[in-house]
Amino acid sequence: TEAWWYLGAIAHEQARYRDAVAALSRVTLQQPKNAAAWTLLGVSQFHTGAHGSAYRALQRAQSLGGTGQPQLDDVARYHHALLAT
C-alpha cells in the first residue's frame, strides 16, 4: 500500500493524473479510511474529467473528517466546491 501511495502522490505532483488515479485507487481499496488517498484520488480524477467519480471521492474524504493537513484539505474543499456548482 505504501508503494502505491508514493507512486500515486508522485504521479499527481507531475500532473500524470491517469497514473495517479490508477495507483491511488489501489490505496483506497486497501485503506478505505485513508482520507488523504481519497483526496488525491478525487483531485486527480477531477483533472482527468471524471467529475462524478471525483465528487464521490472528495465526498468520501470529507466524510472521514479530512486529512488533518490544512493545505490538502483546502485543495479538497476547493475542488469539491467546483464540482458541486
Side-chain angles (χ1 to χ4, degrees):
T1 304
E2 187 175 349
W4 286 115
W5 164 256
Y6 286 114
L7 286 172
I10 290 167
H12 178 83
E13 285 186 25
Q14 294 177 344
R16 294 181 8 249
Y17 298 114
R18 292 192 192 287
D19 294 336
V21 168
L24 294 164
S25 292
R26 289 179 179 253
V27 176
T28 58
L29 284 174
Q30 295 171 1
Q31 294 180 343
K33 294 185 180 182
N34 185 332
W38 284 107
T39 296
L40 281 185
L41 174 61
V43 174
S44 295
Q45 289 170 325
F46 175 89
H47 288 291
T48 66
H51 295 151
S53 297
Y55 184 84
R56 288 186 295 277
L58 293 169
Q59 187 71 28
R60 174 68 182 208
Q62 189 175 44
S63 74
L64 292 169
T67 67
Q69 301 172 39
Q71 189 174 13
L72 189 53
D73 288 336
D74 287 347
V75 168
R77 281 191 294 274
Y78 172 76
H79 284 85
H80 193 250
L82 287 176
L83 291 164
T85 57

